[in-house]
Amino acid sequence: VSEQTRLKKAKLIRSWIPALVLLLLSALLLLLKSRSREAFFGTIGTYTLEMVTIFPAVLVMMGLLSAFVSNQFIVRHLGEESGIRGMVLAFLLGTLPTGPLYIGLAEKRFMRPFAA
Amino acid sequence: MSVTALFVNSTALVLLAAALFRDRKRALAALKMAGKMFFSLLPMLIIIILLIGLLFAFVPQQELERFLGAQSGPLGTVLSAVIGAILHIPALLAFPLAASLLEKGASVSVIAAFITTLTMIGVVTLPMEIEHMGRKFALLRNGLSFLGALAISFLMGVLL
């Protein structure tokens, strides 16, 4: 196993620790206070359903966006020469629902040589 | 299924069909990317859902109102703005949490401050932002965003 895959694995395991701790904590609380079980499961049922019906579709659209919109396209529309239109477009793109911030930051570094 | 879910899913399906038709290989790569994103966001998703469940099952309404409700005043708003600035939650996952807090009796300006700093300020990503964008840009942008968030939350409290 190479160093890189080992690091990746360690990072993956670490990202799950808070979720598992919270899961154990919830289980403990529910065991101690059985009266709250109904409220707990009712609530998480509703939210899980909501997430399951919306989340995958949003991710598919994000994947399509990054696979089909080329970097040249972005540079052309958001670069220095794009002017006011580029600014408006950047503003609109930024209001898209998801796109974790760090993706945006990485793209900016990529665009720096192109004087975006 | 809600109207939102129906709309989002049908849009995604249409786009996916068009993508598959145009460039099969790229469309499949996009699907793979979506799967990867799903698994990297899954722990966060589970945390948010559990937190909402715990909130409804174990936090008494008046306690929550004391800390996040209208009585909490400017201090509550500033506190929630700071928490929102520190936490790193994708907006997609944060809205259900914010909605459930509102339903439980949190005030509009507190929740507006939380959502606004959550999306506009990244304390966790600040070192990365400084590295990529420069110290001046990053600090100015984040600082102005904090002031902006407070102004927005105040206005939201007045308007809503």
Side-chain angles (χ1 to χ4, degrees):
Chain A
V1 189
S2 77
E3 183 70 11
Q4 207 175 8
T5 46
R6 220 169 49 96
L7 274 172
K8 237 182 179 171
K9 225 178 202 168
K11 212 173 150 194
L12 184 76
I13 292 170
R14 235 179 305 138
S15 71
W16 276 93
I17 290 174
L20 291 178
V21 169
L22 197 61
L23 198 65
L24 282 176
L25 186 76
S26 318
L28 197 70
L29 279 171
L30 290 172
L31 278 176
L32 291 175
K33 255 183 100 178
S34 51
R35 261 188 316 141
S36 302
R37 269 180 219 165
E38 206 176 317
F40 182 81
F41 287 112
T43 311
I44 67 169
T46 316
Y47 278 99
T48 307
L49 190 72
E50 200 172 299
M51 291 291 185
V52 164
T53 51
I54 293 178
F55 206 46
V58 173
L59 290 179
V60 166
M61 285 193 275
M62 282 171 68
L64 287 173
L65 187 75
S66 57
F68 278 88
V69 181
S70 73
N71 290 326
Q72 286 94 313
F73 181 86
I74 291 170
V75 170
R76 185 148 36 92
H77 288 266
L78 298 180
E80 194 95 300
E81 286 93 84
S82 60
I84 188 91
R85 224 167 50 91
M87 271 196 252
V88 172
L89 192 63
F91 198 82
L92 291 177
L93 280 178
T95 50
L96 283 177
T98 36
L101 195 58
Y102 50 86
I103 294 176
L105 292 175
E107 303 250 305
K108 290 221 180 72
R109 179 161 82 157
F110 167 78
M111 284 191 281
R112 194 167 269 178
F114 298 91
Chain B
M1 215 190 246
S2 67
V3 181
T4 319
L6 219 59
F7 175 73
V8 172
N9 279 287
S10 45
T11 313
L13 275 179
V14 169
L15 287 176
L16 183 62
L20 277 169
F21 182 72
R22 231 185 119 176
D23 188 340
R24 205 185 150 76
K25 227 167 124 191
R26 250 194 218 180
L28 291 178
L31 280 182
K32 209 175 146 192
M33 208 182 306
K36 259 193 195 155
M37 277 191 277
F38 178 76
F39 283 108
S40 66
L41 284 173
L42 193 58
M44 185 71 90
L45 186 71
I46 291 172
I47 288 173
I48 300 285
I49 289 177
L50 285 175
L51 276 181
I52 294 173
L54 291 174
L55 181 75
F56 274 83
F58 294 104
V59 181
Q61 184 114 13
Q62 65 263 44
E63 282 300 303
L64 192 120
E65 271 172 15
R66 202 148 64 91
F67 288 101
L68 301 176
Q71 304 99 296
S72 66
L75 197 70
T77 306
V78 173
L79 191 70
S80 68
V82 171
I83 293 173
I86 295 168
L87 287 182
H88 192 63
I89 308 173
L92 183 68
L93 301 183
F95 288 133
L97 179 64
S100 61
L101 283 169
L102 262 183
E103 202 179 315
K104 263 289 217 177
S107 81
V108 170
S109 42
V110 166
I111 296 304
F114 176 70
I115 293 176
T116 311
T117 54
L118 194 67
T119 45
M120 279 166 55
I121 303 175
V123 169
V124 185
T125 52
L126 191 61
M128 201 192 276
E129 190 172 346
I130 289 175
E131 187 193 321
H132 290 305
M133 309 297 300
R135 184 179 297 274
K136 215 167 156 188
F137 180 99
L139 293 179
L140 258 179
R141 196 195 65 77
N142 280 286
L144 289 174
S145 296
F146 193 80
L147 295 179
L150 290 181
I152 289 169
S153 74
F154 172 74
L155 282 174
M156 287 291 287
V158 174
L159 293 173
L160 271 185

